Amino acid sequence: MPLVMPRTPARGGIVARADPPADRRGDRFAAALTALVMLGVLVTSSAPLFAAQAVVFALGAFVGLRYSPYPALYRAVVAPGLVELGRAPRLAWLRRLGSPVRPEPAAPVRGAHTLGVGLAVLGSVGYLAGLTGLGEVSAVLVLAAAVTNAAVGFCPGRVAYQALYQLFARLNRHPSQPETQQGAIA
């Protein structure tokens, strides 16, 4: 996802492609799988495994979240299974996990995937160049973000994306356009 503010046709720019909203449960499931892959990268120091994770991030960031394999796996296998399991009397609490939740905008998730691509490529290059420290630091950063997202739903990559988006929005603001008190563009 480019780190520039999308422009509307009225402001002389192009229209950003609209992705469907992201399912938070699928995002947390993807983060859990990413954490498992990063554990594998740290244990094996595998550049190809790190590069494979970079491809997964790139699909979500540049092609679209609906084409990323982890959320697709969640939609195809996990979510329907939770609903089916929830029909059993003892497992009725699982119905809540399969029920829809408030979706979130896809742009911050794609922005987080873009940051993930950068870290994964940096780590892969580090491992391939023999700079294992660089690869390990990159893997630990991705692992920490993935575990935080999977466990409590807080994604540092999304927060970084939103901060960069607001910064670029302020930089791209036309001088005749007033700012609101919160600093957002009116």
Side-chain angles (χ1 to χ4, degrees):
M1 180 111 228
L3 294 177
V4 295
M5 189 172 106
R7 298 190 180 274
T8 62
R11 290 176 40 197
I14 59 170
V15 177
R17 178 168 43 117
D19 281 334
D23 185 349
R24 292 174 191 231
R25 299 163 302 167
D27 186 40
R28 290 178 76 173
F29 175 77
L33 291 180
T34 299
L36 291 175
V37 170
M38 288 299 103
L39 283 174
V41 167
L42 285 169
V43 168
T44 63
S45 296
S46 171
L49 187 58
F50 216 160
Q53 183 62 45
V55 169
V56 169
F57 281 143
L59 285 171
F62 305 122
V63 179
L65 294 176
R66 73 186 107 180
Y67 302 109
S68 186
Y70 298 160
L73 180 65
Y74 177 82
R75 285 189 310 272
V77 177
V78 178
L82 290 175
V83 172
E84 288 299 318
L85 282 174
R87 292 190 179 141
R90 288 185 155 189
L91 300 174
W93 60 273
L94 281 174
R95 249 182 264 138
R96 287 183 302 150
L97 296 176
S99 64
V101 294
R102 189 185 74 200
E104 64 182 346
V109 180
R110 289 182 70 177
H113 281 207
T114 304
L115 295 174
V117 169
L119 284 171
V121 167
L122 185 67
S124 297
V125 169
Y127 278 128
L128 288 172
L131 303 169
T132 56
L134 180 62
E136 289 170 353
V137 167
S138 296
V140 166
L141 288 173
V142 174
L143 175 65
V147 167
T148 305
N149 190 6
V152 295
F154 175 77
C155 179
R158 269 185 261 159
V159 173
Y161 168 82
Q162 289 168 339
L164 287 171
Y165 185 87
Q166 289 176 356
L167 174 70
F168 281 105
R170 284 191 182 139
L171 293 175
N172 289 336
R173 184 178 58 85
H174 192 273
S176 66
Q177 206 173 16
E179 284 194 40
T180 63
Q181 286 189 343
Q182 290 88 13
I185 295 176

